[in-house]
């Protein structure tokens, strides 16, 4: 009995150690986290380049994990997608983002990231309609951010879903633009309103020969196609100034504001000189 006791003790000691060094998130954790309402949203403002007023915010999910503390989406979105749990989680994200932004007094928009898997569930249109109806947020104030990979997956199924969502009045943005491999004419066959230039191009802009030329080309393309263009990951004044002089209308990044919890966003907007919305 004594031996067994000692063996048990060392087993636990080892397990505890493993937990500290590499806690592995499991599907059951995510399921429990959703049920226990451990997920939270942060909001990162997006600014008008000319007068630095806040036009909208991007909702970004985090997990207030009981053991790990604050966990970023990079650590759980992939597993949530593979397990299908992104469907209920994504529904919660849409509802919460719409409700939070509708409840504050400023006329700003909100962008929500949509995972490719949410298109496969067959419920996305319904989920978006319900989030708008329940929150009372005008459809024109909601934007969905979708990466190119979604479109490559299953274009003929996704196109009509996007068209129906757009016909509600919701805006559609291509996230991480330039990182995928789809052709421009192909992208053009989807009803997008906005191109979001990937952060990598913004950082290359100041450090690499030709970096600025690429950003410039994307901006010209947006203009020619009548699409809005936003630059993400703007971290320095130099990047900001280049984007402003290249007539990029909208910017987002640590230089101007980090993602913040809803109560801080309220204070941030109250303090901002002008927040007249879109
Ligand atoms: P993303 O959609 O490209 O989001 C932008 C990421 O860049 C965010 O990281 C944001 O915090 C970070 N960021 C913003 N400004 C700067 C900057 O100036 N410099 C740098 N270095 N980073 C900046 P986060 O919140 O960790 O999200 C990572 C990714 O996780 C997102 O990339 C998105 O793909 C995914 N994600 C986040 N929230 C959601 C969500 O609610 N639903 C889904 N499906 N995916 C989400
Ligand atoms: Ca995004
Ligand atoms: Ca992005
Ligand atoms: Ca990204």
């Amino acid at each position: 009995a004594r031996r067994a006791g000692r063996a048990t003790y060392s087993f636990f000691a080892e397990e505890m150690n493993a937990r500290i060094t590499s806690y592995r998130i499991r599907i059951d954790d995510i399921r429990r986290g959703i049920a226990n309402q451990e997920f939270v949203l942060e909001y990162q403002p997006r600014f008008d380049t000319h007068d630095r007023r806040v036009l909208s915010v991007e909702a970004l999910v985090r997990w207030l994990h009981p053991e790990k503390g604050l966990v970023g989406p990079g650590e759980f979105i992939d597993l949530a997608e593979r397990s299908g749990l992104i469907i209920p989680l994504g529904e919660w994200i849409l509802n919460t983002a719409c409700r939070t932004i509708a409840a504050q007094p400023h006329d700003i928009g909100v962008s929500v990231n949509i995972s490719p898997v949410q298109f496969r569930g067959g419920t996305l249109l319904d989920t978006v309609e319900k989030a708008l109806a329940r929150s009372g947020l005008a459809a024109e104030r909601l934007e969905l951010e979708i990466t190119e990979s979604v479109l490559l997956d299953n274009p003929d199924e996704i196109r009509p879903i996007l068209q129906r969502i757009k016909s509600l009045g919701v805006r559609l943005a291509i996230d991480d633009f330039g990182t995928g491999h789809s052709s421009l004419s192909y992208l053009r066959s989807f009803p997008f309103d906005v191109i979001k230039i990937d952060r990598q191009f913004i950082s290359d802009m100041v450090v690499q020969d030709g970096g600025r030329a690429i950003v410039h080309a994307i901006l010209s393309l947006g203009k020619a196609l009548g699409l809005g263009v936003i630059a993400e990951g703007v971290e320095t004044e130099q990047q900001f100034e280049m984007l402003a002089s290249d007539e990029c209308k909208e910017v987002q990044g640590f230089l101007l504001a980090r993602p913040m919890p809803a109560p801080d966003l309220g204070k941030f907007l109250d303090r901002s000189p002008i927040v007249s919305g879109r």
Side-chain angles (χ1 to χ4, degrees), residues 48 53-56 106-109 274-278:
D48 187 309
R53 92 195 131 112
V54 178
L55 298 170
S56 64
H106 306 285
D107 179 31
I108 55 166
I274 357 170
V275 195
S276 59
R278 305 142 292 129

Side-chain angles (χ1 to χ4, degrees), residues 24-272:
R24 275 178 52 114
I25 289 170
R26 289 167 307 141
I27 294 170
D28 282 346
D29 285 328
I30 300 180
R31 192 176 287 119
R32 191 213 65 243
I34 295 171
N36 291 354
Q37 302 185 309
E38 291 167 9
F39 291 89
V40 293
L41 294 184
E42 288 192 339
Y43 299 89
Q44 186 179 31
R46 297 165 39 160
F47 298 82
D48 187 309
T49 314
H50 295 295
D51 52 18
R52 301 200 185 195
R53 92 195 131 112
V54 178
L55 298 170
S56 64
V57 292
E58 178 177 3
L60 295 159
V61 69
R62 280 92 180 82
W63 186 358
L64 266 174
H65 195 281
E67 285 154 70
K68 286 195 79 174
L70 194 65
V71 179
E75 289 188 60
F76 62 83
I77 287 287
D78 187 54
L79 190 53
E81 288 178 340
R82 279 186 282 129
S83 62
L85 287 169
I86 193 71
I87 302 288
L89 182 60
E91 202 172 315
W92 177 86
I93 290 167
L94 260 166
N95 281 320
T96 305
C98 291
R99 188 165 16 83
T100 302
I101 296 312
Q104 55 76 46
H106 306 285
D107 179 31
I108 55 166
V110 61
S111 289
V112 177
N113 292 286
I114 301 295
S115 147
V117 178
Q118 290 176 270
F119 284 89
R120 280 182 235 139
T123 54
L124 185 60
L125 175 68
D126 192 51
T127 302
V128 170
E129 277 185 302
K130 282 194 176 128
L132 291 170
R134 283 179 190 154
S135 63
L137 188 82
E140 292 69 28
R141 292 174 64 186
L142 177 63
E143 180 179 279
L144 304 184
E145 294 191 8
I146 299 151
T147 54
E148 275 177 67
S149 62
V150 174
L151 313 174
L152 297 170
D153 270 7
N154 217 340
D156 296 332
E157 254 170 57
I158 281 155
R159 201 176 283 109
I161 302 174
L162 287 178
Q163 266 148 2
R164 286 203 194 94
I165 292 174
K166 191 189 166 94
S167 70
L168 300 174
V170 173
R171 293 208 309 174
L172 300 174
I174 308 179
D175 203 354
D176 302 343
F177 183 79
T179 58
H181 301 284
S182 35
S183 73
L184 291 173
S185 62
Y186 179 75
L187 287 178
R188 220 22 218 158
S189 73
F190 297 89
F192 285 103
D193 306 283
V194 177
I195 293 172
K196 215 169 172 185
I197 308 175
D198 190 65
R199 186 165 83 217
Q200 189 59 52
F201 296 110
I202 305 306
S203 80
D204 289 350
M205 190 169 59
V206 288
V207 297
Q208 231 179 55
D209 281 350
R212 187 174 183 179
I214 290 174
V215 172
H216 201 93
I218 298 174
L219 287 164
S220 310
L221 174 83
K223 205 173 211 175
L225 297 178
L227 299 172
V229 180
I230 167 164
E232 71 176 357
V234 178
E235 293 180 345
T236 67
E237 282 292 345
Q238 194 190 4
Q239 292 166 340
F240 182 90
E241 291 310 325
M242 280 188 183
L243 289 162
S245 67
D246 287 354
E247 287 178 77
C248 178
K249 286 211 176 70
E250 218 176 313
V251 287
Q252 174 182 5
F254 293 168
L255 173 70
L256 298 164
R258 291 188 171 253
M260 56 189 102
D264 293 359
L265 176 69
K267 285 178 220 151
F268 185 89
L269 294 175
D270 290 342
R271 275 201 318 264
S272 297

